[in-house]
């Protein structure tokens, strides 16, 4: 786990905790890399996504940035700025509402928002899978997009929205024992929420549900 401030060169940013996936060379490829390729094929062809109305209301997209070529295949998250009106300080995925410029594409929306929030160039995302949508607590329809990401030379965080970044190994999300249900009070209401702990940080609510849904898709048989 590692949080860092905006505009930090990425060569200084690396996460620990990859011991769950051992690298074993076989014919020039690691078993870890082979396992990931096998898992991604279960998502179907890359690049396919539903076409929505360009001005669709209450529809948003988030990117699940997967640093697939790096040890442990870390997934990148953002920490929301403390000044945000909703979910201040929480760990989440980069994303936001669809805009007319996205032409109804949830993949375009996820990539645009990720560039605006963390400075991830769309050219650094080689493959995308649009996953089944889910709803947040306000009834908005959220479309998660898994993207295979190449780390840019420098992350550029939008200070008004993003306070830092967090990297978590993919294997952490693939183990069901890391998920638990907790009672939480949010906006004056007591609710049961899915929670993941990692390195002293908590990922909960919609973001935890998205990662659990990704787990089920990647580990599905047949």
């Amino acid at each position: 786990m590692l949080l860092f401030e905006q505009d930090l060169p990425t060569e200084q940013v690396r996460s620990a905790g990859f011991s769950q996936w051992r690298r074993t060379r076989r014919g020039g490829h690691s078993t870890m890399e082979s396992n990931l390729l096998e898992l991604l094929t279960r998502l179907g062809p890359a690049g396919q996504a539903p076409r929505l109305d360009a001005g669709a209301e209450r529809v948003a997209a988030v990117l699940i940035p997967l640093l697939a070529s790096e040890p442990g295949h870390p997934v990148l998250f953002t920490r929301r700025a403390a000044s945000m009106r909703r979910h201040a300080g929480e760990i989440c995925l980069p994303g936001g509402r669809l805009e007319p410029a996205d032409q109804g594409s949830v993949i375009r929306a996820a990539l645009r928002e990720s560039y605006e929030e963390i400075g991830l160039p769309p050219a650094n995302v080689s493959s995308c899978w649009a996953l089944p949508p889910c709803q947040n607590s306000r009834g908005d329809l959220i479309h998660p997009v898994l993207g295979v990401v190449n780390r840019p030379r420098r992350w550029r965080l939008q200070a008004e929205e993003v306070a830092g970044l967090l990297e978590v190994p993919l294997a952490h999300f693939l183990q069901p024992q890391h998920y638990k249900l907790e009672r939480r009070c949010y906006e004056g209401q007591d609710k049961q929420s899915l929670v993941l702990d990692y390195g002293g940080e908590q990922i909960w609510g919609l973001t935890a549900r998205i990662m659990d849904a990704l787990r089920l898709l990647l580990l599905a048989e047949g």
Side-chain angles (χ1 to χ4, degrees):
M1 181 277 297
L2 185 58
L3 292 170
F4 57 94
E5 300 303 320
Q6 82 180 92
D7 208 31
L8 188 68
T10 58
E11 59 266 20
Q12 298 180 25
V13 181
R14 291 294 184 271
S15 295
F18 302 138
S19 60
Q20 298 172 79
W21 288 46
R22 294 182 179 276
R23 293 182 65 87
T24 303
R25 290 289 176 179
R26 291 182 180 177
H29 297 281
S30 70
T31 57
M32 185 171 63
E33 291 166 350
S34 300
N35 287 343
L36 180 61
L37 291 174
E38 178 184 348
L39 293 179
L40 292 178
T41 61
R42 301 180 184 184
L43 300 178
Q48 297 184 357
R51 182 67 58 177
L52 307 176
D53 291 337
E57 296 182 0
R58 305 185 69 83
V59 175
V62 296
L63 184 69
I64 307 172
L66 176 64
L67 297 163
S69 64
E70 299 189 13
H73 313 311
V75 176
L76 185 73
F77 297 85
T78 65
R79 182 190 292 281
R80 289 171 66 84
S83 59
M84 296 293 288
R85 187 168 61 90
R86 291 181 178 272
H87 304 286
E90 292 181 14
I91 303 299
C92 63
L93 295 161
R97 295 285 182 91
L98 261 69
E99 297 183 358
D102 303 320
Q103 300 178 348
S105 169
V106 297
I107 291 179
R108 283 176 180 250
L111 296 181
R112 174 185 54 76
E113 288 283 344
S114 297
Y115 179 69
E116 293 174 1
E117 290 185 15
I118 62 177
L120 175 64
N124 283 52
V125 186
S126 59
S127 300
C128 287
W129 290 264
L131 308 181
C134 53
Q135 279 191 317
N136 64 12
S137 58
R138 301 191 303 278
D140 298 329
L141 197 61
I142 311 299
H143 289 260
V145 175
L146 176 66
V148 174
V149 171
N150 294 316
R151 187 186 296 270
R153 293 183 60 186
R154 184 179 295 269
W155 300 107
R156 298 187 182 278
L157 309 189
Q158 187 179 52
E160 296 82 5
E161 296 187 17
V162 182
L165 299 182
L166 170 70
E167 295 180 13
V168 182
L170 178 63
H172 189 77
F173 300 104
L174 300 184
Q175 301 181 52
Q177 67 269 25
H178 290 158
Y179 296 82
K180 59 184 179 180
L181 288 171
E182 290 186 358
R183 303 296 302 185
R184 285 178 175 249
C185 183
Y186 176 68
E187 294 187 340
Q189 296 184 8
D190 187 40
K191 296 182 178 181
Q192 194 172 53
S193 178
L194 194 64
V195 178
L196 292 111
D197 292 302
Y198 180 76
E201 300 288 346
Q202 283 199 328
I203 299 171
W204 66 284
L206 176 67
T207 303
R209 287 196 285 123
I210 288 173
M211 298 310 299
D212 189 39
L214 176 61
R215 174 184 71 85
L216 295 174
L217 288 170
L218 291 177
L219 300 183
E221 296 293 339

